[in-house]
Amino acid sequence: MLRKIVLLLPLIVLALCQNLSAAKLPELHTQNGKHALFVDGKPYLILGAQVNNSSNYPAALAKVWPTVEAIHANTLEINIAWEQVEPKEGEFDFSFLDTLLKQARERDVRLILLWFASWKNNAPHYAPSWVKLDDQRFPRVQKQDGTTLNSLSPIHRSTLDADKKAFVALMKHLKKVDKKHTVITVQVQNEVGTYGSARDYSEAAEHLFQAEVPQFLQQKLGLQSGNWKQVFGDDADEFFHAYHIARYCNEIAAAGKEVLPLPMNVNVALRNPFTPGKPGQYSSGGPTDNTIPIWKAAAPSIDMISPDIYFRDYKTVTKILDIYSRPDNPLFVAEIGNAQPFARFFFETLGHQGIGFAPFGMDTTGYTNYPLGAQDYSEQTFAVFGEIYKLMAPWAGVWAKLSFEGETWGVAEPADTSETLEVWNAKNTKRSDAEKKELADKLTQKIDLGLWDAEVTYGRPMFWIDPPKGNNPSSGGALIAKLSENEFLVTALRARVSFSTSSELKEKRYMIERVEEGHFNAKGEWVFERVWNGDQTDWGLNFDNQHHLLKIRMATY
Ligand code: DGJ
């Protein structure tokens, strides 16, 4: 018997190790200002998809999974509504979550749960009736003129306690039924904030507003003491509201984490960073670009503030990515429109060290949020995301590790074009030389890789140096990861990537020493397929719609 056990020991240890690593809690790691979401103990890239708002019932799931599968997503973002788990106060029903977990596991898809509760885009629509119909116990925001908005006030303990109780019950259930950690992150609320008023102006709120700004907040932000108006001046109303919503979310997240310490995020109804308007015209009190410091100070249990991107133009999208990728904030694009122009921003998100990306409305339940997103929910519409996820899926973990530990870059085609080919071609033939140059400059992105520079251009013939004219519609993008000073991993769609010496090596003659095309196997090992040379390298590395993953070695001689 003993001999048998000794012989079997390596197998037993292996099984135990596998079991242990499979049960590792998902965690966010930060080092040198970079972030990674660890799942099963390894960096994980969220190739996400979010369902439509009312797909959170077993009956709808059959119209969810086919899209998830078709686009090669590895993670589904799906809401769990307070109204569905606690329809009667104190009586909980987690049967949807149980069904969801089972079906997700069968498909090897991870989940991000979205806790739709006190706030769903400003309103308590997803709170149970016993909450949303009881204005006395769960007061709403009062405007300056005394009228009431359909947005819960964050200052009332009764509301917070009720929401927190339900959330803790959810996390307790999750802890019991999700030992494998199919759920990798939980979003607390959805697009918190209030439209129509900067804050709650009720008597109770007024009382708090006249009081001193909490000391810890003053200290964390390095501010003088005083009441809200004295400390924050014109921003006082909005910052007061942001502080109270942040504290509310923080308390809920902290209580949930005490049960099961999963990463937790909030998502943002963004304001336009260039033309923001007034608080209340956008969702006041949410973690918009101007209130991030308040949120970071007031809500340490919220690990990520995640933008919901529905701006379509390159300039605004890249500005948003700049704002939300910070040493203290892992960039996770929790929502982005599901129409064609948005897909290429995946590359730019990864270029901002993003840990994940998720187009919204990715199911066939029969709804489209056009003009925010796509006009239809056809396979063809969703395929623009599938194309990119399919390119990334086999080596998503490799990328996440490189992004976390090393240096990576990603860019999307910068010109915003979506014209018919006829219009596009006509414009191109009619352009003056100066206009052509201007367009070519715009379509040329220079990347400093250290000893080497890369140039990414869009819409040129593969063979020859004709200037870039762009793709129509704009859809290109490129990713580069440094493997060593002279070695890089490169992939792209509808783009040319060219390497040259940086100023440091300027005097030297240089060449591409070797370009290998290959792929990563399931163990994350590089598998060689062929060498690119001749035409395939003479005019830069040209990528069309096909998927190519290249390892390039540069050299001087
Ligand atoms: C952003 C919200 O977070 C989503 O739940 C959804 O309502 C979209 N807006 C619009 O479709």
Side-chain angles (χ1 to χ4, degrees):
M1 178 68 177
L2 193 67
R3 207 168 147 249
K4 231 184 193 172
I5 292 179
V6 171
L7 282 176
L8 285 174
L9 210 58
L11 283 179
I12 295 170
V13 171
L14 188 73
L16 273 175
C17 287
Q18 275 171 349
N19 220 0
L20 280 180
S21 81
K24 267 207 166 152
L25 201 69
E27 277 175 344
L28 278 165
H29 289 214
T30 297
Q31 73 186 20
N32 306 322
K34 293 185 168 199
H35 313 281
L37 173 64
F38 276 62
V39 172
D40 294 338
K42 291 176 298 209
Y44 182 86
L45 180 65
I46 301 167
L47 304 175
Q50 185 169 153
V51 292
N52 279 296
N53 285 167
S54 309
S55 304
N56 56 321
Y57 289 85
L61 288 178
K63 291 183 176 172
V64 169
W65 298 121
T67 304
V68 173
E69 192 183 336
I71 67 161
H72 305 269
N74 60 14
T75 308
L76 179 70
E77 287 180 324
I78 185 161
N79 42 315
I80 301 288
W82 186 4
E83 66 175 356
Q84 87 187 123
V85 302
E86 197 185 11
K88 281 196 189 139
E89 190 168 6
E91 287 178 25
F92 292 100
D93 173 2
F94 296 110
S95 51
F96 170 60
L97 179 59
D98 294 341
T99 306
L100 176 68
L101 284 168
K102 183 171 173 289
Q103 296 190 9
R105 283 181 199 134
E106 281 163 7
R107 291 160 178 83
D108 203 14
V109 171
R110 297 292 174 134
L111 297 171
I112 294 181
L113 301 183
L114 318 174
W115 176 236
F116 280 20
S118 298
W119 287 273
K120 158 64 176 88
N121 310 14
N122 130 102
H125 294 307
Y126 281 82
S129 295
W130 58 267
V131 173
K132 60 189 176 193
L133 299 180
D134 189 346
D135 246 345
Q136 292 301 312
R137 189 171 157 203
F138 309 109
R140 287 169 161 82
V141 164
Q142 238 184 60
K143 283 175 40 165
Q144 243 167 334
D145 64 8
T147 55
T148 299
L149 290 168
N150 188 17
S151 184
L152 291 175
S153 169
I155 64 164
H156 297 281
R157 180 54 40 202
S158 46
T159 321
L160 171 53
D161 280 346
D163 187 325
K164 186 168 78 175
K165 196 169 146 206
F167 187 68
V168 167
L170 167 70
M171 295 305 287
K172 278 188 180 156
H173 185 78
L174 195 60
K175 185 177 180 179
K176 204 166 69 197
V177 298
D178 191 27
K179 303 274 186 236
K180 291 185 178 153
H181 301 303
T182 296
V183 174
I184 56 173
T185 291
V186 180
Q187 179 184 295
V188 179
Q189 312 294 343
N190 191 80
E191 292 199 348
V192 294
T194 298
Y195 290 104
S197 179
R199 67 170 170 96
D200 183 6
Y201 290 89
S202 66
E203 216 181 300
E206 213 46 41
H207 187 69
L208 289 171
F209 187 71
Q210 296 309 332
E212 284 252 309
V213 170
Q215 242 182 12
F216 86 92
L217 187 66
Q218 290 172 16
Q219 273 164 10
K220 275 196 178 175
L221 299 179
L223 301 164
Q224 303 292 325
S225 59
N227 68 23
W228 286 85
K229 195 76 199 169
Q230 287 162 339
V231 174
F232 292 112
D234 286 349
D235 292 322
D237 293 323
E238 181 184 11
F239 286 14
F240 171 83
H241 201 43
Y243 169 78
H244 283 286
I245 300 179
R247 292 305 285 164
Y248 190 108
C249 293
N250 187 63
E251 191 171 324
I252 290 176
K257 281 182 173 186
E258 235 171 77
V259 177
L260 181 61
L262 286 173
M264 296 203 185
N265 71 317
V266 290
N267 62 336
V268 195
L270 297 167
R271 61 177 206 165
N272 188 312
F274 300 114
T275 52
K278 292 207 164 62
Q281 288 170 338
Y282 58 87
S283 187
S284 180
T288 42
D289 58 275
N290 54 330
T291 63
I292 293 174
I294 303 265
W295 269 83
K296 284 290 168 189
S301 292
I302 298 293
D303 306 292
M304 301 185 277
I305 298 176
S306 312
D308 291 352
I309 302 179
Y310 292 94
F311 299 110
R312 287 182 178 223
D313 65 294
Y314 180 83
K315 187 175 156 216
T316 313
V317 173
T318 47
K319 179 76 183 164
I320 298 289
L321 297 176
D322 284 344
I323 291 170
Y324 287 92
S325 63
R326 305 168 30 132
D328 64 354
N329 195 59
L331 174 66
F332 168 41
V333 176
E335 287 179 36
I336 191 160
N338 60 359
Q340 183 278 328
F342 296 102
R344 74 190 200 279
F345 295 124
F346 174 86
F347 296 102
E348 199 77 43
T349 300
L350 263 50
H352 283 74
Q353 226 264 307
I355 64 157
F357 186 87
F360 175 88
M362 302 299 280
D363 62 42
T364 52
T365 52
Y367 194 85
T368 74
N369 66 0
Y370 179 80
L372 285 186
Q375 247 166 324
D376 66 73
Y377 46 85
S378 65
E379 229 175 83
Q380 203 189 348
T381 295
F382 294 156
V384 290
F385 296 93
E387 179 192 36
I388 297 174
Y389 283 3
K390 190 176 178 192
L391 169 67
M392 297 306 295
W395 61 295
V398 175
W399 175 272
K401 190 169 175 345
L402 287 166
S403 170
F404 180 50
E405 293 173 358
E407 284 183 89
T408 49
W409 296 267
V411 286
E413 184 164 358
D416 301 300
T417 18
S418 187
E419 289 159 330
T420 63
L421 262 184
E422 265 174 6
V423 172
W424 182 236
N425 287 335
K427 255 196 198 165
N428 267 325
T429 38
K430 270 196 227 134
R431 276 184 225 275
S432 68
D433 285 352
E435 279 171 331
K436 279 184 190 159
K437 180 163 182 333
E438 196 187 317
L439 183 67
D441 286 349
K442 194 170 178 187
L443 290 165
T444 303
Q445 291 162 321
K446 305 235 183 245
I447 307 175
D448 176 356
L449 306 171
L451 288 183
W452 303 92
D453 287 344
E455 185 190 86
V456 184
T457 48
Y458 304 88
R460 339 170 66 154
M462 290 187 149
F463 187 90
W464 221 247
I465 54 163
D466 291 17
K469 292 182 183 151
N471 296 298
N472 181 38
S474 272
S475 59
L479 295 174
I480 302 176
K482 190 184 270 189
L483 299 174
S484 69
E485 272 315 314
N486 298 320
E487 233 185 340
F488 303 90
L489 210 53
V490 187
T491 191
L493 285 173
R494 295 171 287 281
R496 173 183 293 183
V497 185
S498 311
F499 284 72
S500 60
T501 44
S502 71
S503 51
E504 232 175 294
L505 298 177
K506 209 169 189 168
E507 305 308 318
K508 307 244 179 172
R509 289 187 299 165
Y510 70 92
M511 67 190 304
I512 293 178
E513 186 188 340
R514 183 177 168 89
V515 179
E516 276 186 19
E517 177 167 8
H519 63 268
F520 287 98
N521 65 17
K523 287 190 209 150
E525 298 159 338
W526 179 251
V527 180
F528 167 84
E529 288 168 15
R530 62 170 174 156
V531 168
W532 277 26
N533 206 341
D535 288 350
Q536 279 64 57
T537 56
D538 288 347
W539 310 100
L541 306 172
N542 287 281
F543 297 83
D544 67 350
N545 302 336
Q546 282 199 31
H547 289 167
H548 301 289
L549 188 53
L550 307 178
K551 223 187 221 187
I552 173 168
R553 192 159 70 233
M554 298 299 298
T556 53
Y557 62 98

